[in-house]
Amino acid sequence: MSHALYRNRELEPNRKHFINSYPPFNIARQSCESGLQRKRDLALYVHIPFCPTICTYCFYKTFRSPAESEVDVYLSYLERELELFSRQPGAQERRVRTLYIGGGTPTVLNPDQLRRLVSALRSALDFSALEEFCCEVMPHEKTANYEKLETLKELGVHRISFGVESFNQEILRDHNRHCTPQLYDRTYAMVCDLGFEKINIDLMSGLPGETWSNWRATIDKVLDWRPPSVSIYKTEVFYNTNVFTKLRNGKTIAPMMSDEEEIEHIRYAHDALKTRGAYIVANCLHLVRDMSYNTLHYTHIWDGMEMKGLGLSAHSCYGGALHQNSSEITDYYGYLDSERLPVKRAHEMSVRDFISQAMVYGIKNLAISRARFVERFGVDLALIYTDVIHRLLDAGAVTLDDEWLRVTPQYYIFADDVARMFFLPEYENMMLSHMERPARETPSLIAAS
């Protein structure tokens, strides 16, 4: 099938054909009748805002060490939100393709509470086409014991996203993570023994206190485990975090490394994982042993699937709008007591927003299908973004052929910088809410032993 926008032809001013409708109804087929009833796909996120401890760099809405009764109250309100959402026009016309339970620490919930949550979700929405069920796990003795992990397996979790961040105990302690490398080993062994299909290990590059020696040891440990998937997030110090307050006030926490050194750390990690572990770069965050281990939740969202978030402060891109739930627990409960969805703020997406979003998210996926773009928007991306793409081609950041716009391997770690090239002008400075890193003060130590 051709995806050209037009056919080159001469104008024929002869008034032979009157345009009654477009596209022509001749393209309709009887076999497409069932398509009118086809459900639209949905990525579902559920936020559990509780943790055994609050990490210094965490900018999510979380509460420390809740009582079981507090968790029960939250689940009651979450169930009420779920019920209200399921009664909204269009909700029953969605089928959940991916379910991601995050936080916070979802495994703060006890086994009965986990069963209660998943039962409520499955009762309210269509999970018949579910491809991936992911749950975040913090390796903490109170939240990741064998009984809870076994419960997750029983409930159908396919993918465990396992927050490691660092294998250095001093760094973990400095950032209020009450974990040890030995606890990590035990938890990872339990996850493997239970036979989860996909296991992702989260790391954080550029943590205050990180050194080359520590970072190499962390990557060596990951290669020793050789998990199916590894994600690496750059530490950003947002203004609403404890680490920002400590750094601003000159507290004892170690200073941040420069951007230049963090780039060297992430390059080292990618090189080591690819050459010594045979990992493949799947997107801007994940390296995987095989593409079958890639995250479907992020992949689908970045390919344009609607995403609905449930719970305190949860974000959504659903029904043609961006919206966010209230971030204050009393407000969240108050909305639901009034039988209203707890949406605190919203933005109706324009066509410009959706086109820009498709480019930004597509770059995060490292490749954009030109045919898919035409299918969604009716125009070739190369016609809209001619100048930007030419600049990126000249920089060696992307390649362009008849089928794909792709990020080049040397720019994989800079995918977010490439994506920023496609921001709408009015949004360019709206997301810069974190502390700048200091300039490099010392020569590179990348070659040091």
Side-chain angles (χ1 to χ4, degrees):
M1 176 180 177
S2 171
H3 290 278
L5 295 179
Y6 57 87
R7 178 169 61 89
N8 285 320
R9 55 181 294 173
E10 297 295 325
L11 176 63
E12 299 177 8
N14 52 32
R15 292 176 54 84
K16 282 187 176 182
H17 302 289
F18 173 69
I19 299 175
N20 184 51
S21 65
Y22 185 87
F25 273 98
N26 293 345
I27 67 171
R29 296 290 182 268
Q30 187 172 359
S31 61
C32 292
E33 182 181 351
S34 62
L36 298 175
Q37 308 300 322
R38 187 177 302 137
K39 290 193 173 184
R40 294 163 62 182
D41 293 330
L42 182 68
L44 185 66
Y45 172 80
V46 180
H47 187 64
I48 305 299
F50 305 115
C51 270
T53 60
I54 306 299
C55 301
T56 63
Y57 46 76
C58 182
F59 58 91
Y60 296 107
K61 191 67 177 184
T62 55
F63 301 94
R64 181 179 178 273
S65 299
E68 284 196 0
S69 59
E70 293 178 274
V71 178
D72 282 331
V73 170
Y74 179 77
L75 288 179
S76 296
Y77 279 96
L78 189 58
E79 288 166 347
R80 196 174 302 180
E81 181 188 2
L82 177 60
E83 181 188 1
L84 288 173
F85 169 66
S86 70
R87 289 196 257 128
Q88 291 289 304
Q92 294 303 321
E93 281 71 59
R94 266 63 170 190
R95 58 179 191 172
V96 179
R97 289 280 296 279
T98 64
L99 170 61
Y100 192 111
I101 301 180
T105 303
T107 47
V108 162
L109 277 61
N110 64 38
D112 287 340
Q113 290 167 334
L114 289 167
R115 293 187 185 98
R116 171 185 172 183
L117 172 61
V118 174
S119 176
L121 292 167
R122 290 187 177 276
S123 296
L125 299 172
D126 181 357
F127 282 82
S128 62
L130 186 68
E131 292 182 295
E132 181 179 273
F133 180 177
C134 179
C135 185
E136 292 180 352
V137 171
M138 180 181 178
H140 188 280
E141 55 196 5
K142 293 183 179 179
T143 63
N145 57 39
Y146 192 87
E147 183 184 10
K148 288 189 182 182
L149 294 172
E150 191 174 39
T151 301
L152 294 181
K153 183 69 174 174
E154 165 201 319
L155 292 172
V157 171
H158 309 109
R159 183 182 182 91
I160 291 290
S161 190
F162 184 7
V164 168
E165 323 316 356
S166 172
F167 281 100
N168 183 274
Q169 190 162 349
E170 184 176 344
I171 292 175
L172 295 173
R173 184 181 64 247
D174 285 347
H175 293 285
N176 205 33
R177 288 183 66 82
H178 297 179
C179 307
T180 65
Q182 294 75 26
L183 178 60
Y184 283 168
D185 280 330
R186 290 198 302 273
T187 309
Y188 186 70
M190 285 191 291
V191 171
C192 292
D193 289 344
L194 284 164
F196 285 94
E197 296 172 29
K198 300 180 178 181
I199 307 169
N200 177 69
I201 301 301
D202 276 344
L203 299 179
M204 295 186 69
S205 62
L207 277 167
E210 188 66 87
T211 67
W212 268 110
S213 176
N214 295 341
W215 186 243
R216 288 192 183 92
T218 288
I219 300 304
D220 287 345
K221 185 66 175 180
V222 171
L223 286 165
D224 182 47
W225 278 6
R226 205 166 177 267
S229 174
V230 180
S231 55
I232 309 177
Y233 294 83
K234 179 179 179 178
T235 305
E236 292 184 329
V237 178
F238 288 89
Y239 297 152
N240 63 338
T241 60
N242 291 331
V243 70
F244 170 77
T245 302
K246 289 184 176 183
L247 289 168
R248 182 187 59 187
N249 294 335
K251 299 293 185 179
T252 56
I253 196 166
M256 289 195 295
M257 67 179 65
S258 66
D259 285 318
E260 293 85 355
E261 191 167 7
E262 190 278 334
I263 289 169
E264 291 169 356
H265 278 217
I266 195 73
R267 277 194 178 128
Y268 174 85
H270 272 234
D271 289 345
L273 290 168
K274 288 188 292 185
T275 57
R276 292 161 53 194
Y279 281 82
I280 303 164
V281 179
N283 56 46
C284 67
L285 292 175
H286 295 84
L287 296 95
V288 295
R289 290 201 331 239
D290 182 275
M291 285 302 289
S292 65
Y293 297 126
N294 192 21
T295 166
L296 296 180
H297 186 73
Y298 285 109
T299 298
H300 286 334
I301 292 171
W302 291 342
D303 194 37
M305 186 179 291
E306 287 187 306
M307 189 273 285
K308 176 62 182 175
L310 300 172
L312 185 72
S313 78
H315 294 78
S316 302
C317 186
Y318 173 82
L322 290 178
H323 57 270
Q324 183 186 15
N325 284 354
S326 173
S327 297
E328 299 301 324
I329 196 84
T330 53
D331 287 347
Y332 176 75
Y333 291 168
Y335 274 103
L336 293 165
D337 283 335
S338 302
E339 293 294 308
R340 292 184 295 159
L341 286 171
V343 176
K344 186 71 171 180
R345 57 179 180 168
H347 167 72
E348 187 172 348
M349 295 277 284
S350 67
V351 174
R352 290 174 71 244
D353 285 325
F354 278 118
I355 288 174
S356 176
Q357 183 191 67
M359 296 302 296
V360 170
Y361 281 176
I363 293 296
K364 290 177 75 67
N365 260 342
L366 305 182
I368 306 173
S369 163
R370 296 177 72 170
R372 164 79 170 139
F373 193 92
V374 170
E375 180 184 322
R376 290 184 66 189
F377 303 112
V379 62
D380 185 15
L381 60 87
L383 294 179
I384 300 177
Y385 293 105
T386 305
D387 293 341
V388 176
I389 290 173
H390 280 165
R391 286 198 294 275
L392 292 172
L393 289 168
D394 290 343
V398 300
T399 61
L400 180 70
D401 58 30
D402 290 343
E403 296 183 355
W404 295 92
L405 177 72
R406 297 182 187 273
V407 179
T408 57
Q410 60 268 38
Y411 275 83
Y412 285 168
I413 65 172
F414 301 111
D416 282 335
D417 301 302
V418 176
R420 189 174 289 279
M421 297 286 288
F422 297 97
F423 275 21
L424 294 176
E426 58 266 35
Y427 302 155
E428 285 183 354
N429 296 316
M430 292 180 67
M431 298 171 68
L432 302 177
S433 57
H434 55 86
M435 178 184 284
E436 292 286 336
R437 287 176 173 268
R440 185 201 291 274
E441 295 181 357
T442 58
S444 171
L445 300 178
I446 192 168
S449 59

